[in-house]
Amino acid sequence: MKKLVALTMATAMTLSLAACGGASSSSAAASTATTDTASSAAESTASEAEDTITVMVPPVTNDYLDKMTEWADEFHQQYPNLTMEVIGTSWDDHNTKLSTMAQAGEAPDIAEIAYAALATYVENGTALNLSECMDKDQLADFDQNALDYMTVENNVYGLPLYITIQALGANKDMLEAAGVDVAKVQESGWTYDEFMEAIKNGTKDDTFGFVFANSGATASDFLNIFGVSAGLNNAFNSDLKYEYTSTKMLNLLTAVEEMTNSGYMPNYGVEASQRMVMCETGNAMIFGKAMPLFENNINKNNAALEAKDGTAVENSIPVNYAFLPVPTMDGVTETCYGTVDGMVAFRNSNSTDEHIQNVMKALYFLSSGERAAYVDASTCLDGVCASAREALASMDTGDRDQGNIDCAARMIKTVVAPPTGITAEQTANAKQLMDEVIVPKFQALIAGETTAQAMYDEIVKQATAVFGEDGCDLT
């Protein structure tokens, strides 16, 4: 069905397919039928023709939809002949609405999506290939590691808006009391042994040295986020072999077993809503998952405590928040788990040569400079393009800690994008293994009902049955 949709749209839009070569291909075609002077005049008239570009976005930040209206006005001032029409959605209905519109051939010109959904729109022929449609200098504005997430088969199909990094957060004062040089850890990372010494020292009668949400589906968060400590950056390695069967997984599970058996980490399920609260109440020194933007949440709670207005977390204490990298085991290069959301341009019934070029203007406008910087500042993230970082440099960071800002900026550069070439079948099988085998076994490991070795052996058994020995990394 997807191939049929792609074929139908391609047949109906032959002109727009040729358009992705840019303005130069349009000029060459025009010169075969007219004089150079007439061609130039025609292009000038086309570039000034009125056009409307539709943009569909969810509330990326609390006031993102309001800001989009402002940016649409700014875009119209910059390009008086172009109008940006904003379609606001909720997080709940955004993906469904976009999928339905795209399959009907009436996708918005631009929409915000998570990178994991990108391949679907490339496969059905609705995502525009920016490698052919967009000015190379504009593409060069973006960091390569961020562009890699929006790349399919060596072609770029979207502009990254931000990389959401997920690692660890902590009570900075408790860390320092436990003997940790917080500034050094934020600047250059730390080893697993140093981390273990810290959480040992930070564990008290009513305080865990380390807490990570591990209840239900959040168990997979631990494997994705803390897994980088053992060198597990993705479910598949660069050879497209399933990597949770490697000895890296055994090393990770052995570490979990050590932390729970020692009492440094809870041996029971911790809900996602509990992890930061336990830090705010002084019952956890380090917690995960954590993001840079959690600093805003903790600062808000600190302000509520000071104001004594009754809105602070019950039994909470003032916390000086520190964003931290995940430690690394022997022989592992420091990385950080991240995921990318970005803006993608779509092919629809309006996709003429001139319209696509107008869409490219709007796409770059929304994904770069002050617009991208505003999103980054709101989410406490560093920019993923040079123009956004330049705009961020002049923005007020409020009362954020500079060490947290610098650590987040450093960690974004260490994110490893998933390898290209993973098939839909591999993705589906990996998810099934995670949901039906790894998560239940991981929760049993936390509770002391199985061992790291037994869990690892079961993963290898189940995964080789699915992917075959040749499809698994068994080193």
Side-chain angles (χ1 to χ4, degrees):
M1 182 62 185
K2 290 178 179 177
K3 296 188 187 315
L4 179 59
V5 170
L7 180 60
T8 302
M9 295 187 68
T11 303
M13 301 171 196
T14 306
L15 180 59
S16 68
L17 286 169
C20 286
S24 60
S25 62
S26 175
S27 299
S31 66
T32 63
T34 66
T35 64
D36 291 342
T37 302
S39 176
S40 298
E43 288 178 4
S44 176
T45 300
S47 66
E48 295 173 0
E50 292 189 0
D51 196 5
T52 298
I53 300 149
T54 55
V55 182
M56 192 167 81
V57 291
V60 176
T61 67
N62 289 337
D63 60 349
Y64 190 68
L65 297 179
D66 291 333
K67 296 299 294 185
M68 282 292 297
T69 301
E70 294 179 22
W71 296 333
D73 291 340
E74 292 176 13
F75 182 73
H76 183 62
Q77 291 174 9
Q78 185 171 338
Y79 302 99
N81 61 310
L82 303 181
T83 299
M84 187 182 293
E85 178 184 320
V86 179
I87 305 170
T89 61
S90 69
W91 283 114
D92 291 334
D93 69 5
H94 180 75
N95 291 333
T96 301
K97 189 172 183 178
L98 176 59
S99 177
T100 300
M101 293 173 69
Q103 289 189 36
E106 295 299 331
D109 293 309
I110 298 170
E112 191 269 0
I113 67 170
Y115 87 92
L118 181 61
T120 297
Y121 298 106
V122 174
E123 183 181 351
N124 68 23
T126 56
L128 285 171
N129 184 349
L130 304 189
S131 297
E132 297 177 348
C133 299
M134 180 163 275
D135 183 275
K136 305 303 181 188
D137 290 339
Q138 291 179 336
L139 282 176
D141 185 21
F142 293 85
D143 298 345
Q144 189 59 50
N145 69 324
L147 280 178
D148 285 345
Y149 278 86
M150 311 303 288
T151 300
V152 177
E153 296 183 358
N154 298 317
N155 288 311
V156 178
Y157 286 92
L159 296 183
L161 194 56
Y162 54 82
I163 295 180
T164 300
I165 50 173
Q166 301 170 3
L168 305 178
N171 182 317
K172 185 176 181 180
D173 297 330
M174 283 187 178
L175 278 174
E176 292 176 340
V180 177
D181 185 339
V182 177
K184 181 180 178 182
V185 170
Q186 289 183 321
E187 290 170 3
S188 55
W190 50 346
T191 67
Y192 175 72
D193 289 340
E194 291 170 335
F195 171 79
M196 286 296 293
E197 182 67 19
I199 64 173
K200 173 185 175 181
N201 295 338
T203 299
K204 311 294 181 185
D205 290 340
D206 58 350
T207 303
F208 287 104
F210 181 44
V211 168
F212 206 104
N214 55 37
S215 181
T218 60
S220 61
D221 284 344
F222 186 97
L223 297 167
N224 289 329
I225 298 166
F226 203 84
V228 302
S229 67
L232 292 169
N233 293 302
N234 295 289
F236 296 92
N237 63 20
S238 58
D239 294 325
L240 304 184
K241 292 188 176 185
Y242 187 68
E243 194 157 36
Y244 286 169
T245 52
S246 71
T247 53
K248 296 174 184 178
M249 177 60 108
L250 179 58
N251 292 338
L252 176 66
L253 300 178
T254 301
V256 173
E257 189 173 41
E258 179 183 11
M259 287 186 279
T260 52
N261 288 346
S262 301
Y264 307 152
M265 186 172 80
N267 62 350
Y268 54 83
V270 176
E271 300 287 344
S273 60
Q274 292 178 279
R275 62 185 187 268
M276 185 163 59
V277 168
M278 290 181 72
C279 182
E280 291 174 320
T281 57
N283 299 120
M285 180 179 71
I286 301 175
F287 72 95
K289 66 179 177 184
M291 295 181 280
L293 63 86
F294 285 3
E295 183 174 358
N296 289 342
N297 301 70
I298 287 181
N299 287 346
K300 182 179 179 180
N301 194 70
N302 290 340
L305 284 171
E306 185 175 356
K308 299 179 181 179
D309 60 8
T311 63
V313 172
E314 186 177 359
N315 298 323
S316 59
I317 61 175
V319 173
N320 187 8
Y321 177 75
F323 178 68
L324 303 172
V326 173
T328 55
M329 298 179 185
D330 290 344
V332 174
T333 300
E334 184 187 45
T335 58
C336 183
Y337 177 76
T339 184
V340 167
D341 277 24
M343 294 290 197
V344 174
F346 291 88
R347 195 184 311 282
N348 54 45
S349 58
N350 295 324
S351 297
T352 62
D353 184 350
E354 292 78 13
H355 182 71
I356 287 177
Q357 293 308 309
N358 291 336
V359 170
M360 293 301 104
K361 293 174 183 176
L363 180 66
Y364 182 73
F365 177 85
L366 291 173
S367 306
S368 63
E370 295 179 1
R371 281 71 55 194
Y374 182 85
V375 174
D376 296 325
S378 299
T379 52
C380 300
L381 295 168
D382 194 36
V384 293
C385 63
S387 60
R389 284 192 291 272
E390 183 179 351
L392 272 169
S394 61
M395 286 187 174
D396 182 8
T397 57
D399 57 355
R400 287 192 63 204
D401 179 81
Q402 189 61 45
N404 292 338
I405 295 173
D406 293 342
C407 182
R410 185 177 74 82
M411 296 315 299
I412 280 178
K413 294 179 174 62
T414 69
V415 171
V416 178
T420 58
I422 298 174
T423 67
E425 183 181 9
Q426 284 178 305
T427 300
N429 287 336
K431 185 179 187 306
Q432 185 174 5
L433 282 170
M434 177 64 74
D435 294 344
E436 298 180 6
V437 179
I438 298 177
V439 166
K441 290 292 183 182
F442 184 77
Q443 290 167 341
L445 177 65
I446 291 285
E449 297 169 355
T450 189
T451 65
Q453 185 67 55
M455 177 178 172
Y456 172 72
D457 291 343
E458 185 63 20
I459 293 172
V460 172
K461 176 183 175 181
Q462 298 289 345
T464 52
V466 172
F467 296 112
E469 289 190 8
D470 291 341
C472 296
D473 182 354
L474 299 172
T475 60

Short mmCIF file of all heavy atoms in Angstrom, two decimals, residues 418-469:
data_model
loop_
_atom_site.label_atom_id
_atom_site.label_comp_id
_atom_site.label_asym_id
_atom_site.label_seq_id
_atom_site.Cartn_x
_atom_site.Cartn_y
_atom_site.Cartn_z
N PRO A 418 21.88 6.19 15.72
CA PRO A 418 21.72 4.79 15.33
C PRO A 418 22.33 4.55 13.95
O PRO A 418 22.32 5.44 13.10
CB PRO A 418 20.20 4.59 15.29
CG PRO A 418 19.64 5.68 16.15
CD PRO A 418 20.58 6.83 15.99
N PRO A 419 22.86 3.37 13.70
CA PRO A 419 23.45 3.09 12.39
C PRO A 419 22.38 3.08 11.30
O PRO A 419 21.23 2.73 11.55
CB PRO A 419 24.08 1.71 12.57
CG PRO A 419 23.29 1.07 13.67
CD PRO A 419 22.93 2.20 14.60
N THR A 420 22.76 3.46 10.11
CA THR A 420 21.83 3.42 8.99
C THR A 420 21.70 1.99 8.48
O THR A 420 22.62 1.18 8.61
CB THR A 420 22.31 4.33 7.84
OG1 THR A 420 23.62 3.89 7.43
CG2 THR A 420 22.40 5.77 8.30
N GLY A 421 20.55 1.68 7.92
CA GLY A 421 20.35 0.37 7.33
C GLY A 421 19.54 -0.59 8.16
O GLY A 421 19.27 -1.72 7.73
N ILE A 422 19.14 -0.19 9.38
CA ILE A 422 18.31 -1.06 10.22
C ILE A 422 16.94 -1.20 9.56
O ILE A 422 16.32 -0.22 9.18
CB ILE A 422 18.16 -0.48 11.63
CG1 ILE A 422 19.52 -0.37 12.31
CG2 ILE A 422 17.23 -1.35 12.47
CD1 ILE A 422 19.48 0.32 13.65
N THR A 423 16.48 -2.43 9.43
CA THR A 423 15.19 -2.66 8.77
C THR A 423 14.03 -2.55 9.76
O THR A 423 14.22 -2.62 10.98
CB THR A 423 15.15 -4.06 8.13
OG1 THR A 423 15.18 -5.04 9.18
CG2 THR A 423 16.33 -4.26 7.20
N ALA A 424 12.85 -2.39 9.20
CA ALA A 424 11.65 -2.33 10.04
C ALA A 424 11.47 -3.64 10.81
O ALA A 424 11.03 -3.65 11.96
CB ALA A 424 10.42 -2.04 9.18
N GLU A 425 11.82 -4.76 10.18
CA GLU A 425 11.70 -6.06 10.84
C GLU A 425 12.65 -6.17 12.03
O GLU A 425 12.28 -6.67 13.11
CB GLU A 425 11.98 -7.18 9.84
CG GLU A 425 11.81 -8.57 10.43
CD GLU A 425 12.10 -9.68 9.43
OE1 GLU A 425 12.60 -9.37 8.33
OE2 GLU A 425 11.84 -10.86 9.76
N GLN A 426 13.88 -5.69 11.85
CA GLN A 426 14.83 -5.71 12.96
C GLN A 426 14.33 -4.86 14.13
O GLN A 426 14.42 -5.26 15.29
CB GLN A 426 16.19 -5.18 12.49
CG GLN A 426 17.01 -6.16 11.66
CD GLN A 426 18.31 -5.54 11.20
OE1 GLN A 426 18.32 -4.49 10.57
NE2 GLN A 426 19.42 -6.18 11.50
N THR A 427 13.81 -3.69 13.80
CA THR A 427 13.30 -2.79 14.84
C THR A 427 12.15 -3.44 15.60
O THR A 427 12.09 -3.39 16.83
CB THR A 427 12.83 -1.47 14.21
OG1 THR A 427 13.93 -0.84 13.55
CG2 THR A 427 12.28 -0.52 15.27
N ALA A 428 11.23 -4.05 14.87
CA ALA A 428 10.08 -4.69 15.50
C ALA A 428 10.52 -5.86 16.38
O ALA A 428 10.01 -6.04 17.51
CB ALA A 428 9.10 -5.16 14.44
N ASN A 429 11.46 -6.66 15.90
CA ASN A 429 11.94 -7.79 16.68
C ASN A 429 12.68 -7.35 17.93
O ASN A 429 12.55 -7.95 19.01
CB ASN A 429 12.86 -8.68 15.83
CG ASN A 429 12.09 -9.49 14.80
OD1 ASN A 429 10.90 -9.76 14.97
ND2 ASN A 429 12.76 -9.87 13.73
N ALA A 430 13.47 -6.28 17.80
CA ALA A 430 14.20 -5.76 18.95
C ALA A 430 13.23 -5.24 20.02
O ALA A 430 13.45 -5.44 21.22
CB ALA A 430 15.15 -4.64 18.51
N LYS A 431 12.17 -4.58 19.58
CA LYS A 431 11.17 -4.08 20.53
C LYS A 431 10.47 -5.23 21.24
O LYS A 431 10.23 -5.17 22.46
CB LYS A 431 10.14 -3.21 19.82
CG LYS A 431 9.15 -2.54 20.77
CD LYS A 431 8.17 -1.67 20.03
CE LYS A 431 7.29 -0.88 21.00
NZ LYS A 431 6.60 -1.75 21.98
N GLN A 432 10.15 -6.27 20.50
CA GLN A 432 9.49 -7.42 21.11
C GLN A 432 10.40 -8.09 22.15
O GLN A 432 9.95 -8.47 23.23
CB GLN A 432 9.08 -8.42 20.04
CG GLN A 432 8.27 -9.60 20.58
CD GLN A 432 7.74 -10.51 19.48
OE1 GLN A 432 8.05 -10.33 18.31
NE2 GLN A 432 6.94 -11.48 19.85
N LEU A 433 11.68 -8.22 21.83
CA LEU A 433 12.62 -8.79 22.79
C LEU A 433 12.74 -7.91 24.04
O LEU A 433 12.79 -8.43 25.16
CB LEU A 433 14.00 -8.94 22.13
CG LEU A 433 14.20 -10.12 21.20
CD1 LEU A 433 15.51 -9.99 20.45
CD2 LEU A 433 14.16 -11.44 21.98
N MET A 434 12.74 -6.61 23.84
CA MET A 434 12.82 -5.69 24.97
C MET A 434 11.59 -5.85 25.87
O MET A 434 11.71 -5.98 27.10
CB MET A 434 12.95 -4.26 24.48
CG MET A 434 12.97 -3.20 25.57
SD MET A 434 14.40 -3.33 26.69
CE MET A 434 15.70 -2.70 25.61
N ASP A 435 10.42 -5.83 25.26
CA ASP A 435 9.17 -5.85 26.03
C ASP A 435 8.90 -7.20 26.70
O ASP A 435 8.42 -7.24 27.84
CB ASP A 435 7.98 -5.51 25.12
CG ASP A 435 8.04 -4.08 24.60
OD1 ASP A 435 8.80 -3.27 25.18
OD2 ASP A 435 7.34 -3.77 23.62
N GLU A 436 9.20 -8.29 25.98
CA GLU A 436 8.78 -9.60 26.46
C GLU A 436 9.87 -10.39 27.18
O GLU A 436 9.56 -11.32 27.94
CB GLU A 436 8.25 -10.43 25.28
CG GLU A 436 7.03 -9.81 24.62
CD GLU A 436 6.51 -10.62 23.44
OE1 GLU A 436 7.05 -11.73 23.21
OE2 GLU A 436 5.59 -10.16 22.75
N VAL A 437 11.12 -10.03 26.95
CA VAL A 437 12.22 -10.78 27.56
C VAL A 437 13.05 -9.91 28.50
O VAL A 437 13.17 -10.19 29.70
CB VAL A 437 13.14 -11.40 26.48
CG1 VAL A 437 14.30 -12.16 27.13
CG2 VAL A 437 12.34 -12.32 25.58
N ILE A 438 13.60 -8.82 27.96
CA ILE A 438 14.58 -8.05 28.72
C ILE A 438 13.96 -7.32 29.90
O ILE A 438 14.48 -7.38 31.03
CB ILE A 438 15.33 -7.08 27.79
CG1 ILE A 438 16.10 -7.86 26.72
CG2 ILE A 438 16.29 -6.20 28.59
CD1 ILE A 438 16.81 -7.00 25.70
N VAL A 439 12.87 -6.61 29.68
CA VAL A 439 12.26 -5.83 30.77
C VAL A 439 11.82 -6.72 31.93
O VAL A 439 12.16 -6.44 33.09
CB VAL A 439 11.10 -4.96 30.24
CG1 VAL A 439 10.26 -4.43 31.41
CG2 VAL A 439 11.64 -3.80 29.43
N PRO A 440 11.08 -7.81 31.69
CA PRO A 440 10.70 -8.67 32.82
C PRO A 440 11.91 -9.25 33.56
O PRO A 440 11.93 -9.32 34.80
CB PRO A 440 9.86 -9.77 32.17
CG PRO A 440 9.36 -9.17 30.90
CD PRO A 440 10.45 -8.26 30.43
N LYS A 441 12.91 -9.68 32.80
CA LYS A 441 14.11 -10.24 33.43
C LYS A 441 14.88 -9.17 34.20
O LYS A 441 15.45 -9.45 35.27
CB LYS A 441 15.02 -10.87 32.37
CG LYS A 441 14.48 -12.15 31.75
CD LYS A 441 14.44 -13.28 32.78
CE LYS A 441 13.96 -14.57 32.14
NZ LYS A 441 13.86 -15.68 33.15
N PHE A 442 14.90 -7.96 33.67
CA PHE A 442 15.61 -6.88 34.35
C PHE A 442 14.95 -6.57 35.70
O PHE A 442 15.63 -6.34 36.70
CB PHE A 442 15.62 -5.62 33.47
CG PHE A 442 16.41 -4.48 34.04
CD1 PHE A 442 17.79 -4.49 33.97
CD2 PHE A 442 15.79 -3.40 34.64
CE1 PHE A 442 18.54 -3.44 34.50
CE2 PHE A 442 16.51 -2.36 35.17
CZ PHE A 442 17.90 -2.37 35.10
N GLN A 443 13.64 -6.56 35.73
CA GLN A 443 12.93 -6.31 36.99
C GLN A 443 13.17 -7.44 37.98
O GLN A 443 13.27 -7.21 39.19
CB GLN A 443 11.45 -6.10 36.69
CG GLN A 443 11.20 -4.78 35.97
CD GLN A 443 9.82 -4.66 35.38
OE1 GLN A 443 9.11 -5.67 35.18
NE2 GLN A 443 9.40 -3.44 35.08
N ALA A 444 13.29 -8.66 37.47
CA ALA A 444 13.63 -9.79 38.34
C ALA A 444 15.05 -9.64 38.88
O ALA A 444 15.33 -9.98 40.04
CB ALA A 444 13.48 -11.11 37.58
N LEU A 445 15.96 -9.13 38.05
CA LEU A 445 17.34 -8.90 38.49
C LEU A 445 17.37 -7.85 39.60
O LEU A 445 18.07 -8.02 40.61
CB LEU A 445 18.19 -8.45 37.31
CG LEU A 445 19.66 -8.10 37.61
CD1 LEU A 445 20.42 -9.34 38.08
CD2 LEU A 445 20.32 -7.49 36.37
N ILE A 446 16.63 -6.77 39.42
CA ILE A 446 16.55 -5.72 40.44
C ILE A 446 16.08 -6.30 41.77
O ILE A 446 16.60 -5.96 42.84
CB ILE A 446 15.59 -4.60 39.98
CG1 ILE A 446 16.18 -3.82 38.80
CG2 ILE A 446 15.26 -3.65 41.13
CD1 ILE A 446 17.29 -2.89 39.15
N ALA A 447 15.09 -7.17 41.71
CA ALA A 447 14.50 -7.75 42.93
C ALA A 447 15.33 -8.89 43.51
O ALA A 447 14.97 -9.45 44.55
CB ALA A 447 13.08 -8.23 42.62
N GLY A 448 16.41 -9.26 42.85
CA GLY A 448 17.24 -10.36 43.33
C GLY A 448 16.68 -11.72 43.03
O GLY A 448 17.08 -12.73 43.65
N GLU A 449 15.76 -11.82 42.06
CA GLU A 449 15.11 -13.08 41.73
C GLU A 449 15.82 -13.84 40.62
O GLU A 449 15.45 -14.96 40.28
CB GLU A 449 13.65 -12.82 41.34
CG GLU A 449 12.83 -12.22 42.48
CD GLU A 449 11.48 -11.72 42.03
OE1 GLU A 449 11.22 -11.76 40.80
OE2 GLU A 449 10.70 -11.27 42.87
N THR A 450 16.81 -13.21 40.01
CA THR A 450 17.66 -13.87 39.02
C THR A 450 19.04 -13.23 39.10
O THR A 450 19.25 -12.25 39.83
CB THR A 450 17.08 -13.73 37.60
OG1 THR A 450 17.82 -14.57 36.70
CG2 THR A 450 17.15 -12.29 37.10
N THR A 451 19.99 -13.79 38.39
CA THR A 451 21.35 -13.26 38.39
C THR A 451 21.66 -12.59 37.06
O THR A 451 20.96 -12.82 36.06
CB THR A 451 22.37 -14.36 38.64
OG1 THR A 451 22.35 -15.28 37.53
CG2 THR A 451 22.07 -15.10 39.93
N ALA A 452 22.71 -11.80 37.05
CA ALA A 452 23.14 -11.14 35.81
C ALA A 452 23.47 -12.18 34.74
O ALA A 452 23.09 -12.02 33.57
CB ALA A 452 24.34 -10.25 36.08
N GLN A 453 24.18 -13.24 35.14
CA GLN A 453 24.57 -14.26 34.17
C GLN A 453 23.37 -14.99 33.62
O GLN A 453 23.27 -15.24 32.40
CB GLN A 453 25.53 -15.26 34.82
CG GLN A 453 26.09 -16.30 33.87
CD GLN A 453 27.02 -15.71 32.82
OE1 GLN A 453 27.99 -15.04 33.15
NE2 GLN A 453 26.72 -15.94 31.54
N ALA A 454 22.42 -15.34 34.48
CA ALA A 454 21.23 -16.06 34.03
C ALA A 454 20.40 -15.19 33.09
O ALA A 454 19.86 -15.68 32.08
CB ALA A 454 20.40 -16.50 35.23
N MET A 455 20.28 -13.90 33.40
CA MET A 455 19.52 -13.00 32.54
C MET A 455 20.21 -12.86 31.18
O MET A 455 19.55 -12.92 30.13
CB MET A 455 19.38 -11.63 33.20
CG MET A 455 18.66 -10.62 32.30
SD MET A 455 18.43 -9.00 33.09
CE MET A 455 17.79 -8.05 31.67
N TYR A 456 21.52 -12.70 31.21
CA TYR A 456 22.27 -12.57 29.96
C TYR A 456 22.12 -13.82 29.09
O TYR A 456 21.90 -13.73 27.88
CB TYR A 456 23.74 -12.31 30.27
CG TYR A 456 24.64 -12.33 29.05
CD1 TYR A 456 24.59 -11.30 28.13
CD2 TYR A 456 25.50 -13.40 28.83
CE1 TYR A 456 25.41 -11.32 27.00
CE2 TYR A 456 26.32 -13.43 27.72
CZ TYR A 456 26.27 -12.39 26.80
OH TYR A 456 27.07 -12.43 25.69
N ASP A 457 22.23 -15.00 29.72
CA ASP A 457 22.10 -16.25 28.97
C ASP A 457 20.73 -16.35 28.30
O ASP A 457 20.61 -16.84 27.16
CB ASP A 457 22.31 -17.44 29.90
CG ASP A 457 23.75 -17.56 30.39
OD1 ASP A 457 24.63 -16.94 29.76
OD2 ASP A 457 23.98 -18.25 31.41
N GLU A 458 19.69 -15.90 28.99
CA GLU A 458 18.34 -15.97 28.42
C GLU A 458 18.20 -14.99 27.25
O GLU A 458 17.54 -15.31 26.24
CB GLU A 458 17.30 -15.65 29.50
CG GLU A 458 15.86 -15.80 29.05
CD GLU A 458 15.48 -17.22 28.67
OE1 GLU A 458 16.19 -18.18 29.08
OE2 GLU A 458 14.46 -17.39 27.95
N ILE A 459 18.80 -13.81 27.37
CA ILE A 459 18.76 -12.84 26.27
C ILE A 459 19.44 -13.43 25.03
O ILE A 459 18.91 -13.35 23.91
CB ILE A 459 19.45 -11.52 26.67
CG1 ILE A 459 18.65 -10.81 27.76
CG2 ILE A 459 19.60 -10.60 25.45
CD1 ILE A 459 19.36 -9.61 28.35
N VAL A 460 20.60 -14.04 25.22
CA VAL A 460 21.33 -14.64 24.10
C VAL A 460 20.49 -15.74 23.46
O VAL A 460 20.38 -15.83 22.22
CB VAL A 460 22.69 -15.20 24.56
CG1 VAL A 460 23.36 -16.00 23.44
CG2 VAL A 460 23.60 -14.06 25.01
N LYS A 461 19.88 -16.58 24.28
CA LYS A 461 19.06 -17.68 23.77
C LYS A 461 17.90 -17.16 22.93
O LYS A 461 17.67 -17.63 21.80
CB LYS A 461 18.53 -18.50 24.95
CG LYS A 461 17.58 -19.61 24.54
CD LYS A 461 17.03 -20.33 25.78
CE LYS A 461 15.98 -21.36 25.40
NZ LYS A 461 15.42 -22.04 26.61
N GLN A 462 17.17 -16.19 23.47
CA GLN A 462 15.99 -15.67 22.77
C GLN A 462 16.38 -14.86 21.52
O GLN A 462 15.72 -14.95 20.49
CB GLN A 462 15.16 -14.81 23.72
CG GLN A 462 14.60 -15.54 24.92
CD GLN A 462 13.49 -16.51 24.55
OE1 GLN A 462 12.93 -16.46 23.45
NE2 GLN A 462 13.16 -17.41 25.46
N ALA A 463 17.44 -14.08 21.62
CA ALA A 463 17.83 -13.23 20.50
C ALA A 463 18.39 -14.03 19.33
O ALA A 463 18.11 -13.72 18.16
CB ALA A 463 18.87 -12.20 20.97
N THR A 464 19.18 -15.06 19.62
CA THR A 464 19.71 -15.87 18.53
C THR A 464 18.60 -16.65 17.83
O THR A 464 18.70 -16.94 16.63
CB THR A 464 20.79 -16.83 19.04
OG1 THR A 464 20.29 -17.59 20.15
CG2 THR A 464 22.04 -16.07 19.46
N ALA A 465 17.54 -16.96 18.57
CA ALA A 465 16.40 -17.62 17.95
C ALA A 465 15.68 -16.70 16.98
O ALA A 465 15.11 -17.14 15.99
CB ALA A 465 15.43 -18.11 19.03
N VAL A 466 15.74 -15.40 17.26
CA VAL A 466 15.06 -14.41 16.42
C VAL A 466 15.95 -13.95 15.27
O VAL A 466 15.53 -13.93 14.10
CB VAL A 466 14.63 -13.20 17.27
CG1 VAL A 466 14.09 -12.08 16.37
CG2 VAL A 466 13.57 -13.61 18.29
N PHE A 467 17.18 -13.56 15.60
CA PHE A 467 18.07 -12.97 14.60
C PHE A 467 19.06 -13.96 13.99
O PHE A 467 19.70 -13.66 12.97
CB PHE A 467 18.87 -11.81 15.22
CG PHE A 467 18.02 -10.65 15.67
CD1 PHE A 467 17.88 -10.36 17.02
CD2 PHE A 467 17.36 -9.84 14.75
CE1 PHE A 467 17.11 -9.28 17.44
CE2 PHE A 467 16.58 -8.78 15.16
CZ PHE A 467 16.46 -8.49 16.51
N GLY A 468 19.21 -15.13 14.62
CA GLY A 468 20.24 -16.06 14.19
C GLY A 468 21.58 -15.66 14.78
O GLY A 468 21.79 -14.49 15.13
N GLU A 469 22.50 -16.59 14.88
CA GLU A 469 23.81 -16.28 15.44
C GLU A 469 24.53 -15.21 14.62
O GLU A 469 25.23 -14.36 15.17
CB GLU A 469 24.67 -17.54 15.56
CG GLU A 469 24.20 -18.50 16.64
CD GLU A 469 25.20 -19.61 16.90
OE1 GLU A 469 26.34 -19.54 16.34
OE2 GLU A 469 24.88 -20.53 17.67
#
